[in-house]
């Protein structure tokens, strides 16, 4: 006896749990008035170096903290700790991305009301982090001048899912024969209208702009949250 | 490779859906996978088999439907299919306005069961 197979529609989002938790985190960040920025890139593009500079500058007038994802080591956290006191490493083991649950767990001991900015450095990887919402308000994707201007075309999904592209190691652009115009073209091709920053953590190029941009974002986000409460 | 994590979440979701319906005999799982989902089809199919081990889904088939891109252009006031995920502007007016309507799907669409 054979029975005909039947199709049952379910329409179940696979990452529903992560998405729900990320949404809760985002709400919590809004309520606490902390502006959360995540960073993704290939390994070695300069996420930690950029963060070191940002933390050092921002911590003069703001309460800043950082979470750093890494497969195995705690080196990045040690580097960042010199710039800001509240830094925590999330060691992911074999997992090649952060997810909302790891972020929630890492944040448990901290009082978010005591913070203005929280930065989350994702595991160095241009593929895996793209599917996971972390509840951040802003996602930066970094591209260094030494890794070639065609990166956006090779990894369109991660560029498309980010809010801002940051071209790092501008001090090395000439030596690496980096085609800046082509890089901008490629970014616009995979994410039309994307805002792009050019920075160097070595010379400090672009850091003033990055800092004032973050200030504006923090104020705007707090104003929006206040409106929502009224 | 994050497809194994995705496959594990997927198996958990299917078990949840199946149990919510009083326990189903799942023969096949129909998946909708957008071209911008960030998930590789072959790697996922491979990981799915591993994730099924030790669950009642062992031996079930995975049928993957690839969902192409669809954007809405604010200038043309209509939906368009961009040339590729490397060329995401409006294929008609080339404006950067971009609202993704389809292409990010990562969902179990249906379960095929023997009733
Ligand atoms: N010349 C130069 N080197 C940089 C710059 N930013 C980072 N680096 C170097 O690039 C390497 C990787 O940087 P790191 O911040 O650890 O990258 P991450 O893996 O993305 O966190 C380190 O040796 C840094 O010193 C930069 O703006 N200019
Ligand atoms: Mg780092
Ligand atoms: Zn158009």
């Amino acid at each position: 006896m054979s029975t005909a197979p039947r199709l049952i529609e379910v329409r179940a989002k696979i990452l529903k749990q992560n998405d729900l938790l990320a949404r809760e985190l985002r709400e919590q960040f809004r309520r606490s008035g902390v502006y959360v920025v995540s960073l993704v890139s290939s390994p070695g593009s300069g996420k930690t170096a950029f963060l070191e500079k940002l933390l050092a500058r921002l911590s003069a007038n703001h309460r800043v903290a950082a979470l750093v994802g890494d497969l195995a080591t705690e080196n990045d956290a040690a580097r960042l700790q010199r710039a800001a006191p509240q830094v925590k490493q999330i060691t992911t083991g074999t997992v090649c991305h952060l997810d909302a649950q790891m972020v929630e767990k890492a944040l448990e001991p901290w009082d978010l009301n005591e913070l203005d900015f929280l930065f989350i450095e994702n595991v160095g990887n241009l593929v895996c982090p793209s599917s996971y919402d972390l509840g951040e308000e802003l996602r930066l994707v970094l591209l260094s001048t030494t890794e070639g201007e065609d990166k956006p075309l090779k990894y369109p999904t991660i560029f498309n899912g980010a809010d801002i592209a940051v071209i790092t190691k501008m001090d090395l652009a000439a030596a690496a024969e980096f085609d800046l115009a082509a890089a901008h073209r490629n970014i616009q091709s995979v994410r039309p209208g994307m805002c792009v920053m050019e920075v160097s953590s070595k010379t400090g190029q672009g850091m003033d702009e990055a800092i004032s941009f973050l200030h504006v974002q923090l104020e705007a986000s707090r104003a929006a949250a206040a409106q929502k409460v009224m | 490779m994050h497809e194994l994590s995705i496959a594990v979440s997927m198996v958990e979701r299917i078990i949840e859906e199946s149990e919510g319906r009083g326990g189903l005999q799942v023969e096949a799982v129909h998946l909708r996978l957008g071209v911008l989902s960030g998930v590789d089809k072959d790697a996922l199919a491979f990981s799915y088999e591993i994730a099924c081990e030790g669950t009642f889904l062992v031996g079930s088939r995975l049928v993957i439907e690839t969902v192409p891109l669809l954007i809405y252009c604010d200038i043309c006031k209509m939906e368009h299919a961009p040339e590729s995920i490397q060329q995401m502007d409006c294929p008609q007016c080339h404006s950067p306005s971009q609202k993704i309507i389809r292409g990010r799907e990562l969902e179990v669409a249906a379960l095929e069961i023997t009733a």
Side-chain angles (χ1 to χ4, degrees):
Chain A
M1 191 190 85
S2 77
T3 46
R6 206 153 58 85
L7 263 191
I8 298 191
E9 221 181 286
V10 292
R11 296 192 139 254
K13 283 205 165 62
I14 291 173
L15 294 178
K16 186 176 110 183
Q17 265 194 330
N18 187 81
D19 291 347
L20 287 177
L21 184 54
R23 201 181 305 163
E24 270 173 40
L25 284 173
R26 191 167 283 118
E27 268 310 304
Q28 205 182 326
F29 296 151
R30 285 220 177 112
R31 276 198 308 274
S32 313
V34 56
Y35 191 73
V36 182
V37 181
S38 78
L39 296 87
V40 291
S41 78
S42 324
S45 297
K47 296 181 293 301
T48 308
F50 183 51
L51 266 184
E52 279 180 271
K53 289 285 184 284
L54 284 181
L55 292 182
R57 297 264 309 252
L58 285 171
S59 58
N61 301 306
H62 293 86
R63 303 160 300 174
V64 290
L67 298 178
V68 196
D70 193 82
L71 295 172
T73 75
E74 309 235 337
N75 299 344
D76 286 359
R79 277 166 66 190
L80 293 176
Q81 223 128 32
R82 279 179 242 134
Q86 257 180 305
V87 176
K88 194 166 187 179
Q89 186 85 44
I90 303 176
T91 311
T92 58
T94 56
V95 180
C96 44
H97 58 268
L98 294 178
D99 63 30
Q101 206 176 358
M102 298 179 202
V103 171
E104 186 194 38
K105 190 155 169 279
L107 289 176
E108 248 165 33
W110 290 353
D111 182 359
L112 293 176
N113 294 303
E114 298 290 310
L115 291 178
D116 297 314
F117 289 104
L118 170 68
F119 293 92
I120 306 175
E121 177 177 337
N122 215 317
V123 180
N125 187 317
L126 277 179
V127 181
C128 308
S130 66
S131 308
Y132 294 87
D133 186 357
L134 303 179
E136 71 270 65
E137 200 121 358
L138 194 75
R139 182 174 288 210
L140 308 183
V141 58
L142 280 64
L143 158 72
S144 66
T145 56
T146 51
E147 56 191 303
E149 53 283 328
D150 58 350
K151 270 279 159 81
L153 300 180
K154 288 184 178 160
Y155 300 93
T157 304
I158 200 118
F159 276 84
N160 188 276
D163 302 298
I164 290 184
V166 182
I167 302 177
T168 60
K169 308 193 191 181
M170 284 300 291
D171 58 294
L172 300 178
E177 295 184 23
F178 183 71
D179 186 342
L180 190 59
H184 279 275
R185 247 189 342 268
N186 293 340
I187 291 168
Q188 295 307 318
S189 186
V190 298
R191 176 71 150 94
M194 190 178 226
C195 164
V196 185
M197 295 184 196
E198 297 169 6
V199 306
S200 164
S201 302
K202 184 120 186 195
T203 64
Q205 177 187 340
M207 292 311 290
D208 288 344
E209 290 85 346
I211 297 281
S212 42
F213 176 82
L214 287 172
H215 280 154
V216 171
Q217 296 301 309
L218 174 68
E219 292 314 317
S221 143
R222 284 184 175 169
Q227 278 246 307
K228 225 175 152 185
V229 171
M230 287 198 310
Chain B
M1 191 176 100
H2 64 313
E3 278 76 8
L4 188 56
S5 315
I6 302 270
V8 169
S9 304
M10 185 172 143
V11 166
E12 283 168 3
R13 292 289 287 129
I14 298 166
I15 291 175
E16 194 183 319
E17 291 292 331
S18 159
E19 282 173 355
R21 288 169 167 78
L24 304 173
Q25 285 279 347
V26 180
E27 297 284 310
V29 173
H30 291 240
L31 189 74
R32 286 164 54 79
L33 194 62
V35 290
L36 264 188
S37 66
V39 173
D40 181 74
K41 187 175 161 175
D42 294 333
L44 184 64
F46 175 76
S47 304
Y48 178 71
E49 279 189 31
I50 298 171
C52 284
E53 275 170 28
T55 77
F56 67 83
L57 290 170
V58 94
S60 62
R61 277 181 302 123
L62 183 62
V63 183
I64 302 180
E65 178 201 345
T66 301
V67 183
L69 263 183
L70 195 67
I71 61 158
Y72 179 80
C73 176
D74 283 325
I75 308 296
C76 303
K77 300 258 177 273
M78 62 183 291
E79 292 175 357
H80 285 295
E83 227 154 85
S84 75
I85 58 173
Q86 276 96 17
Q87 183 71 55
M88 296 279 290
D89 56 354
C90 172
Q92 196 140 329
C93 72
H94 299 288
S95 78
S97 64
Q98 185 203 59
K99 287 190 190 118
I100 295 172
I101 310 236
R102 279 214 297 268
R104 289 222 169 97
E105 292 78 358
L106 181 53
E107 62 183 32
V108 178
L111 300 177
E112 206 173 302
I113 60 161
T114 41

